[in-house]
Amino acid sequence: MIVDCLSALGPSILDRRFFGLNDKIALRNTPVHAIWLILRGTAVLTIGEKTTVSFDKSVGSIYGDVETILDLPYQGDLIVTSQDGLEAVCINPEKFKDAINRAPNFMQVYTKINALRVLKGARKVERDAALIEEMSARNNDIDQIQARIEELEQQISDQFYPSDYDPDNPPEALWQQSTE
């Protein structure tokens, strides 16, 4: 699947790069010089000014696309975590933007809305983590902190599943039934 994606990216690929354990691929607040597509290995993306929030990145993960679409610098640090290093394809951000600009208007709008949604989600996770850290420092009330974590998890779950969601009988089971 990744190979198919690479062939479609063709002219926008600058090169392949190899990184060792703990190498910094991208640094927060620096201009986007490449969009990274991970081919092998793992990395961690850390964001946040006061409270650091981490996202694991692995094969197929892309970083720098949202920043490119929104004309922002890198929003976090991308650091290699796999012992055997990481291999990534370096995609030219200007050619990426050119491709988006050649797309039909509805795709341009959709792409920007999706990028804004991703950035907004990351900012919310960062704010929530800061709130939990602040609560922990203020009063060490484990029950209150646990309740806040559960509330946040429920909010995330509610975005994806209706209130009557039954994990033993998910709606996708209906989609997978034979039509014979």
Side-chain angles (χ1 to χ4, degrees):
M1 173 108 163
I2 295 283
V3 174
D4 295 336
C5 293
L6 290 178
S7 64
L9 292 171
S12 63
I13 295 176
L14 295 172
D15 61 13
R16 272 186 158 157
R17 303 246 178 111
F18 299 90
F19 300 91
L21 178 64
N22 296 322
D23 280 353
K24 294 179 179 179
I25 300 170
L27 297 174
R28 184 169 54 90
N29 292 328
T30 61
V32 174
H33 62 279
I35 298 170
W36 300 99
L37 171 60
I38 298 175
L39 300 177
R40 183 178 53 84
T42 58
V44 64
L45 173 63
T46 58
I47 63 168
E49 296 283 333
K50 298 174 186 170
T51 301
T52 302
V53 180
S54 301
F55 301 93
D56 292 329
K57 300 288 188 175
S58 60
V59 174
S61 293
I62 297 176
Y63 181 61
D65 56 329
V66 169
E67 291 86 347
T68 298
I69 292 165
L70 299 176
D71 291 321
L72 297 170
Y74 287 120
Q75 297 297 292
D77 296 327
L78 186 62
I79 303 167
V80 177
T81 56
S82 50
Q83 293 292 326
D84 295 334
L86 181 139
E87 178 182 5
V89 170
C90 181
I91 301 168
N92 183 317
E94 293 307 316
K95 288 186 179 181
F96 181 80
K97 282 179 79 168
D98 288 344
I100 292 170
N101 291 335
R102 286 192 310 270
N105 285 341
F106 77 93
M107 284 304 294
Q108 291 179 36
V109 170
Y110 172 79
T111 301
K112 191 158 195 169
I113 288 171
N114 192 52
L116 288 167
R117 181 188 58 79
V118 169
L119 187 61
K120 180 180 174 185
R123 293 290 185 254
K124 181 171 180 4
V125 168
E126 183 182 342
R127 282 191 310 274
D128 291 345
L131 177 63
I132 290 168
E133 187 175 284
E134 182 182 310
M135 289 170 62
S136 178
R138 254 195 339 245
N139 60 15
N140 292 326
D141 183 348
I142 300 301
D143 292 334
Q144 184 181 11
I145 294 168
Q146 185 61 37
R148 180 64 177 145
I149 291 170
E150 289 172 8
E151 177 186 327
L152 295 172
E153 289 172 342
Q154 187 62 49
Q155 288 174 3
I156 292 167
S157 179
D158 289 346
Q159 290 178 12
F160 296 103
Y161 299 109
S163 60
D164 61 346
Y165 178 76
D166 178 5
D168 294 327
N169 190 20
E172 51 269 20
L174 296 172
W175 308 331
Q176 297 169 356
Q177 290 179 354
S178 173
T179 57
E180 295 176 18

